[in-house]
Amino acid sequence: MSKPRVAIFDFAGCEGDQLQIVNLEEVVLDVLGQVEIVTWREAMKEQSDHYDIALVEGSITRKSDEERIKAIREKAGILVAIGACATIGGINCMKNFQDEKFVRRYVYGDKAHWYNTYAARPVSAVVPVDANVHGCPINREEFVQVLKALLQGKKPFIPNYPVCVDCKKAGNVCVLLKGQFCMGPVTRAGCGACCITEGAYCWGCRGLVDDPNMDAARELLGRFGISAGEALGQIRLYDGYREEAR
Amino acid sequence: MSKSAKRELHIRVDHLTRVEGHGNIVVNVSNGKIEDCRWEVVEAPRFFEAMVRGRKWYEMHHITCRICGICSIGHTLASLQATEAALGIEVSEQTVLLRKLALHAENLQSHILHVGYLVLPDLMGVGSVVPLAGSHPAELKTVIRIHRLSNEFSDTICGRTTHPQRLVPGGFVKYPKVDELKKLRQGLTEALSDLKEVARLVCSLAERFPAFSRETEYIALKSNQEYAMYHGQVGSSDGGTWAPGQYKEVTNEFCVPHSTAKYTKHNRDSYMVGALARFNLNSDRLTPEARAVAGLFKLKPVCYNSFMNNVAQIVECVHSVEDSINIIDRALGRGLALEDIPPIKVCAGRGVSAVEVPRGILFHDYQYDDAGTCIGANLIIPTNQNHNNIYHDLQALLPSLLGKPEKEIELGLEMLVRAYDPCISCSAHYLKVKFKK
């Protein structure tokens, strides 16, 4: 049996997620033993149009990108979105809340008419996505787990409970109790609460859990003096494409 | 009449490989005359300068570091310095030491990734690093060892390698432990001999770099204390220094119809930033081992061969490792304190920073209102500053390649662009222009 062929593509993003794949170092060589990477512009010259699994990083931000992602979807048996820009729209969606003409003029002045852009969106807003590796950046171990599951024909396990669960497991003191803001109560776990563990708070990069209990979250944050407006601003940092944030 | 005099040539390299982001090389030669030789940037624009408007001072570093996955630490540090300048936040000596370590960690990581994974395949005549696992396993393992150490280095100081969590305005929210720093010091010492091995390997292949030379201006930070990375004055190889706040006098960004990126220029048609620019301005402040590696390659300032940027990166890897060992000794000698973030008084103000990140000098310029909300931002990215220089280099290199087979011309042009280690995702502002066919 021939090895599954994997292709890696990127759209609007920082390529930090592909870097996490590189950062697997020797593990990459193991992974390479199980699959054949046939397209990866950032790392290799060779390219191929025949692949089984497509890994896609970045948001879709131009009408012209749709053609490319649709062509990738057509060729790939399995399409995996990697990183917040691809899975939920990510940081790029912040521009969706400003007047588009203003945004272009602000950055380019009188040359604004020279290029096109539209509201940034996740890959799933344009084509169906089979699996997500969430996070900004993705977690290397989680990436390997998802890939392994897909290679075995299983459905990868993506948590649907809040970061608070990971945070308790990590033994952290709740940052809300320290008087800080935190998106943990409504954000999808799976990161091990890494930002809180490193002294920061949760910024919400993995997006909200499915059907988040917004009323409970509002009440909880309200108890710590955080307004609904502030919370909305935080959701718009990464998850601005979703209905609740618009 | 020579063969190249009648040459018809149409080269189009779409989405150049082994660089960060999307760029195309376009060459049209008709009747031996170069009609067109372009470097297009087709990365999707992301509008960071507009996006950060309306966000708070404590979010700015978190957002702007998402400009680039490879140089996220550099963007974080530039952002923190701009915010601290705007709000008048003073940081401690220990914070500066740890931040300098963070910058060295990223410099090492980014350079070894570029030289080991992206440039070496060209020198070895293969398409990627993958075949090297079979043909040069020992050398590849050495590169991987250095790369892994550089990531552990970032993890130890910043919390993680990409989009660090511990660095905030005013200082650090979590500190490395003393024994972690000692272990890191040990790893860095071992990395020195690994790096010399990589240097010898590249040196044995150095004749693959074309003997190219084009006089240009080099812009980099300068300091009387050290090989300037974290702070200093903006300096030019044509003479003169400027405070970071005067950056616009140096960068002079402008748009041109045949380019997909904003260009910059200062004294000449274009200028170059990055490892070679820093070497050309500051080589006398390199650490001893780094100077020895420069000597191995016979690299001397001012070097006008852009291909030698790859070599300057190797020299800087050694410098970063050696200087980091010295900084760790100083930090441990002082005694590592778990300092609190100083009280921050939010006020209106403007702050500009200039930081040397792997690909060159980076400017962040912010304006805040009295609630600490960002009301204006300008970001000037190293790769943007290099595009104009890449364009002029391509024009200068192409005539010398015209007699060669098409594949060789293509590779020469690709290697030139790749030598700059362009990081096109950092597209704070790019344009997509339609060209007449």
Side-chain angles (χ1 to χ4, degrees), chain A residues 45, chain B residues 7 11 404-414:
Chain A
K45 208 172 158 77
Chain B
R7 196 82 193 256
I11 291 180
K404 294 185 190 299
E406 198 164 316
K407 276 282 160 234
E408 267 183 62
I409 300 177
E410 208 172 282
L411 180 65
L413 298 176
E414 283 187 15

Side-chain angles (χ1 to χ4, degrees), chain B residues 81 217-224 228-252 265-267 271-274 277-278 281-282 352-356 360-364 380 385:
Chain B
Q81 282 198 44
E217 183 183 15
Y218 294 93
I219 300 282
L221 280 184
K222 272 189 88 70
S223 156
N224 296 328
M229 298 285 287
Y230 178 70
H231 49 200
Q233 297 277 301
V234 183
S236 159
S237 56
D238 286 345
T241 55
W242 295 261
Q246 300 169 291
Y247 72 94
K248 284 185 178 172
E249 292 176 32
V250 177
T251 55
N252 306 299
K265 66 186 286 181
H266 181 233
N267 276 343
Y271 65 82
M272 183 174 180
V273 299
R278 290 189 290 261
L281 266 74
N282 303 313
V352 179
S353 66
V355 173
E356 284 289 347
I361 195 163
L362 165 69
F363 301 100
H364 279 220
I380 301 195
Q385 297 171 73

Side-chain angles (χ1 to χ4, degrees), chain A residues 28 32 97 135 145 148 154 156 170 194 208 239-240:
Chain A
V28 160
L32 289 179
F97 299 100
Q145 274 169 5
K148 271 185 187 166
K154 293 183 192 160
C194 58
L208 302 185
D239 212 358

Side-chain angles (χ1 to χ4, degrees), chain B residues 1 4-9 29-35:
Chain B
M1 221 171 167
S4 57
K6 280 200 167 153
R7 196 82 193 256
E8 287 285 332
L9 193 64
V29 175
S30 179
N31 232 340
K33 265 188 62 180
I34 300 170
E35 288 188 339

Side-chain angles (χ1 to χ4, degrees), chain B residues 170-230:
Chain B
F172 279 76
V173 286
K174 189 173 178 179
Y175 287 94
K177 294 183 177 70
V178 169
D179 56 350
E180 286 174 342
L181 285 177
K182 286 181 175 161
K183 184 172 167 249
L184 173 63
R185 192 189 186 286
Q186 181 61 38
L188 289 165
T189 311
E190 288 159 14
L192 265 183
S193 56
D194 276 346
L195 278 167
K196 284 181 203 162
E197 212 176 297
V198 172
R200 280 193 293 271
L201 171 68
V202 174
C203 198
S204 70
L205 301 162
E207 78 276 359
R208 303 267 176 107
F209 293 126
F212 172 78
S213 179
R214 184 181 73 86
E215 257 199 50
T216 187
E217 183 183 15
Y218 294 93
I219 300 282
L221 280 184
K222 272 189 88 70
S223 156
N224 296 328
Q225 281 87 44
E226 61 196 356
Y227 190 85
M229 298 285 287
Y230 178 70

Side-chain angles (χ1 to χ4, degrees), chain A residues 35 41 67 73 75 82 92 111 118 126-127 133 185 234:
Chain A
V35 299
R41 188 197 48 76
E67 207 178 312
R73 176 68 272 188
K75 295 185 185 98
I82 61 167
N92 296 321
K111 305 292 188 291
Y118 70 6
V126 183
V127 295
V133 183
Q234 282 298 323

